Structure formats: structure tokens, C-alpha cells
Amino acid sequence: MAPSEIAPRIVCIGIPVRDLTFRVDSVPERGSKANATHLAEICGGNALNAAIAMARLGGRIAFAGPMGDARETSSGFILDQMAAEGIETAHIVRLPGAATPVSAIFIDATGERTLTIYRDPALWTVKLSDADELLADCQAVLVESRCGAFCIDLCTEARRRGIPVIVGVDRAMALNDGLLTAASHLLFSSEQVQETAGIADDSEALKRLAQLTSGFLAATRGPRGTIWLNEAGALEETPAFPVEAVDTLGAGDVFHGAFTLRLAEGCGVREALRFGAAAAALKCTRHGGGPAAPQRIEVEGFLRDRR
């Protein structure tokens, strides 16, 4: 449970997505057709998946970022889902004439996902709410790395106020990306950390990036767990929990959200990483991307059983 009776308020910054997910035996080959065994329409996007996870784990979540025109259907669908999760949406900015992103996702028999997505370029012209308004009573900020263009000033101000800024890295970053220095914690995947550093080894890639930022650095590696650098710059590992995965969609985002929440509750990185690993493992045992994130009681029970 949280050490305080008052749940932490966390601001999530990202671009929500309407996901159409298809379960298939295998991803169709180029130029072929395949029948899906199941179709689901869900809300997604890296930060929104994390926001849903944190709301279910006990956080007070506010979401900020761009969405499409108020008249298009995708944004209305997503806002309804966010309201059902108790996520504050007052800081979402609607852009006239723009389209909310939509993705088509194939989930094969192993639980691995393959996807394509359309993001309207106009979304990157968004102007977020005032920092005083967004950061009031805020214990942490979680942001998608792709959103640096419109949130770097807010992240810098959050750090100035002593608020941790956690970046869920959803693609390779440029070495001069302002989020590398604005973030207090950067959570990569193995592929992304290697591509960002230009080094084909997780540990060496983390050490290379540590020369550019004072922030906490970690790389998730799916069933192989998470590798990270401690305060002394030494490598440590947090194991993954073995489960029978049926759907990996959104697992990394759930990990980021659970990690962020535990930091906001005052825990250290070791406990936060273990909590994140448990939440992600449970998510992988069920279909549905971020909306399949577990409840707090499930994660705590899962961890108790594995002490």
C-alpha cells in the first residue's frame, strides 16, 4: 500500500491512440490474407497505457497531450475509456481538423505483437497547459520520449521544483535530445538503448548514456528482466517474473506506470523495479494491452507469493 493516505498525483504526457487489435495464429505474409480469431477495440498509446495502469494501482492521474478534432469518433471513444478509469482529462488539447492516432495490431499465438500506426503531424503543434496548473500537487511526471518537442519546458520546470520526471522511451533518442538531461529516470528497452547509444550491448550502451545524463538509466529485456545502473554506476539486474504470456501489448507501458507510481509513493528504485516487473508480468497473462493492466491487490498478492 502507499505510505500516505493520500494517493500521489501523477501527470502523464503523451498522445492517446485508438487501437484495433487482431488475434492471429501468425502475422500474415506480405500480399496475403488471414482470418483473425478475435477483434478488440481499445484505447492505447504509451503514456495512456501507463496512466491506466497507475490509476488501477491507486494513483491520481492527470493526462496532458494532443487529440484530434472534437467531431471525430476516435477521440470520443478514448475519452469515454479514460473517464471510466478515473483519469483526469481537463488538460487534453483538442486540435481542430487533426485526427487522433489509430493503430492496427496483430497479436500472434506467442503473444508477440506487430503493429502499424498513423499519427497526424499536426499533433506535434500542441501547446500544453500552464506549468503551474499542471504541476500543482504533482508528485511525478511520466512522459513518452516522442513528446519532448512539446513538453521539454514543462519537464525542466518539474525538475526545478524537485518533481521526478520519468521518460518511457518508445523509440531511439538523439544524443542531444533535451529529455536526456531533463529526465530524472529514463526507462529504455534493450533495442532502444542500443540504438540510442550506437552500441550493440545493453550494459555498454547504458554506460555510454550515463556520460550524457545524471538520470537513472535502465533497459528492460522482456523475460530476461531489467538491467540498470545504480548510484555508483555499477550494473545491477532485476529479474522478470516467469509467466505464460498470451499478449505482450502494453507490457512495457504498464511497467513504466507501476515503476513511476512506486517512486511517487516514496519507494527506492529497487522496489519500484520489482513492482513494475510484477505488474507487467500479470498484464502479459491476459489479452487487451494497457486496459488489461492489473489492480493493486493483484500485484501485491503476486509479490507476496514470490517472496
Side-chain angles (χ1 to χ4, degrees):
M1 298 296 293
S4 169
E5 293 182 0
I6 302 176
R9 179 176 181 269
I10 299 169
V11 174
C12 284
I13 302 172
I15 303 178
V17 181
R18 185 183 191 180
D19 289 337
L20 300 175
T21 65
F22 303 84
R23 291 187 216 164
V24 293
D25 293 331
S26 61
V27 176
E29 295 182 3
R30 181 174 182 270
S32 68
K33 295 182 180 179
N35 289 325
T37 60
H38 184 267
L39 167 67
E41 182 181 18
I42 59 176
C43 58
N46 303 103
L48 181 49
N49 286 336
I52 292 171
M54 288 189 288
R56 293 186 179 182
L57 294 170
R60 292 183 294 131
I61 311 304
F63 199 95
M67 289 183 68
D69 194 290
R71 296 169 297 177
E72 51 104 58
T73 57
S74 293
S75 56
F77 169 80
I78 293 171
L79 287 170
D80 287 344
Q81 300 300 307
M82 293 173 77
E85 298 289 347
I87 296 170
E88 178 189 333
T89 60
H91 305 293
I92 288 178
V93 181
R94 310 299 292 274
L95 296 179
T100 296
V102 176
S103 68
I105 303 168
F106 295 96
I107 300 170
D108 67 21
T110 70
E112 189 57 79
R113 89 290 187 271
T114 303
L115 63 87
T116 185
I117 184 170
Y118 172 73
R119 288 188 179 91
D120 193 324
L123 297 172
W124 272 266
T125 65
V126 66
K127 301 295 183 184
L128 297 179
S129 301
D130 179 75
D132 286 338
E133 183 180 352
L134 274 173
L135 299 178
D137 188 30
C138 177
Q139 281 74 54
V141 175
L142 173 62
V143 57
E144 298 175 13
S145 60
R146 72 177 65 249
C147 297
F150 59 78
C151 74
I152 188 68
D153 290 343
L154 179 74
C155 293
T156 301
E157 176 61 17
R159 289 294 304 281
R160 190 188 70 79
R161 300 184 186 195
I163 300 170
V165 174
I166 297 86
V167 176
V169 183
D170 56 348
R171 60 177 180 177
M173 300 176 71
L175 294 180
N176 62 353
D177 192 315
L179 281 179
L180 279 175
T181 51
S184 61
H185 299 74
L186 292 124
L187 305 176
F188 291 82
S189 71
S190 174
E191 178 182 358
Q192 292 152 354
V193 76
Q194 291 184 25
E195 188 174 348
T196 298
I199 299 173
D201 177 84
D202 293 338
S203 59
E204 293 304 316
L206 288 174
K207 292 176 182 177
R208 168 73 176 95
L209 296 182
Q211 299 173 16
L212 305 176
T213 177
S214 60
F216 172 81
L217 291 165
T220 57
R221 302 174 296 170
R224 294 187 295 133
T226 301
I227 188 170
W228 51 283
L229 296 177
N230 63 24
E231 292 182 351
L235 287 163
E236 296 198 33
E237 294 189 41
T238 298
F241 293 99
V243 294
E244 185 174 345
V246 299
D247 182 355
T248 62
L249 178 66
D253 306 327
V254 170
F255 180 98
H256 297 162
F259 174 88
T260 299
L261 179 66
R262 287 305 277 155
L263 281 185
E265 290 175 347
C267 293
V269 294
R270 283 185 177 82
E271 182 174 344
L273 288 167
R274 190 166 185 268
F275 189 78
L282 282 168
K283 183 268 149 284
C284 288
T285 65
R286 57 195 73 167
H287 288 282
Q295 301 288 338
R296 182 75 175 234
I297 191 172
E298 295 179 275
V299 177
E300 291 181 343
F302 184 89
L303 288 170
R304 278 196 305 271
D305 292 342
R306 286 155 180 81
R307 281 194 179 133

